[in-house]
Amino acid sequence: MSVSLQKGQKVSLSKENAGLSRVIVGLGWDEAPRKKAGFFAPKPQPIDCDASALLLRNGKLMDKSDLIYFGNLRHRTDTVIHMGDNLTGAGEGDDEQIVVDLANIPQEYDKIVIVVNIYDAVKRNQHFGMIQNAFIRLVDARNNNEMCRYNLSENYDNMTAMIFGEIYRYNGEWKFNAIGQATMDPGLGQLANRYV
């Protein structure tokens, strides 16, 4: 049963899903940005959203290898794997997926933060306010059942990045927190620096 989350809402992943060992973080957005007004306005460029996962130890990003993104698709422990870059948002369902092997993540990692940024947002003059139907969802990898979904329905004009949510360990169980915090960070490096 899928739960529709609001910003700041937390949900237990382990309690209602006995034996849960792997989740898929699915991110999606519509490929065509909202059109600019005006007959002579240029055709908008597709928006390239990039999903990334930051594996934190004691709440901090300790090593560059703990950043999983289109340039580093697989964590050295093989517990977090990015399934590949989508440059346009084309296609139905998830546009990018990150597979998280909860059962085998080393104990020193207490949190996995899922972030998204618009590639070359400043150069292309793009922001999240131009994107339609963006979402993050968590899926039980055993049976492809959607456990929870967070839809971006707010106005995010001029925001170029987003801290979507976090999967974290609490008292021996995994939980998910829908954050939905938009930022003006121009790229992944600046987003990652928030956790250093």
Side-chain angles (χ1 to χ4, degrees):
M1 183 175 102
S2 181
V3 177
S4 186
L5 298 178
Q6 302 299 316
K7 188 185 285 189
Q9 187 176 351
K10 296 173 174 52
V11 64
S12 172
L13 300 179
S14 321
K15 239 180 219 170
E16 293 83 14
N17 301 285
L20 178 70
S21 60
R22 289 174 71 228
V23 293
I24 299 167
V25 179
L27 295 133
W29 68 95
D30 277 358
E31 64 178 305
R34 292 184 186 141
K35 293 188 177 7
K36 293 181 182 175
F39 185 74
F40 293 104
K43 183 179 178 205
Q45 247 186 307
I47 295 177
D48 178 5
C49 290
D50 289 324
S52 306
L54 293 77
L55 282 77
L56 306 185
R57 289 179 261 179
N58 296 318
K60 298 281 185 196
L61 182 64
M62 308 291 272
D63 193 281
K64 278 171 48 173
S65 67
D66 291 334
L67 178 58
I68 307 306
Y69 67 109
F70 67 86
N72 180 31
L73 295 175
R74 183 180 294 267
H75 191 258
R76 66 181 176 278
T77 62
D78 285 334
T79 56
V80 180
I81 301 170
H82 191 300
M83 301 307 290
D85 195 14
N86 182 320
L87 303 178
T88 65
E92 293 296 313
D94 299 338
D95 295 312
E96 292 195 9
Q97 291 184 331
I98 298 172
V99 179
V100 182
D101 183 357
L102 298 172
N104 293 306
I105 291 176
Q107 202 62 35
E108 70 255 28
Y109 294 101
D110 56 340
K111 191 179 289 185
I112 302 162
V113 178
I114 308 298
V115 298
V116 175
N117 65 288
I118 298 173
Y119 184 76
D120 271 350
V122 175
K123 182 179 171 185
R124 296 178 179 187
N125 197 26
Q126 294 176 333
H127 55 83
F128 272 95
M130 301 165 76
I131 299 174
Q132 300 179 63
N133 302 322
F135 65 86
I136 179 174
R137 68 190 193 117
L138 259 69
V139 175
D140 185 334
R142 297 172 300 183
N143 51 25
N144 286 326
N145 283 343
E146 182 178 279
M147 296 181 293
C148 58
R149 174 184 285 257
Y150 174 52
N151 290 309
L152 293 172
S153 55
E154 294 184 29
N155 183 343
Y156 291 110
D157 283 353
N158 303 316
M159 299 296 166
T160 54
M162 169 105 27
I163 302 166
F164 265 131
E166 57 189 18
I167 300 168
Y168 65 98
R169 244 190 265 260
Y170 182 75
N171 288 340
E173 69 172 286
W174 288 102
K175 295 181 176 260
F176 178 72
N177 179 22
I179 297 175
Q181 178 188 344
T183 76
M184 295 178 86
D185 293 315
L188 181 57
Q190 292 81 3
L191 264 175
N193 281 338
R194 291 172 174 265
Y195 297 93
V196 174

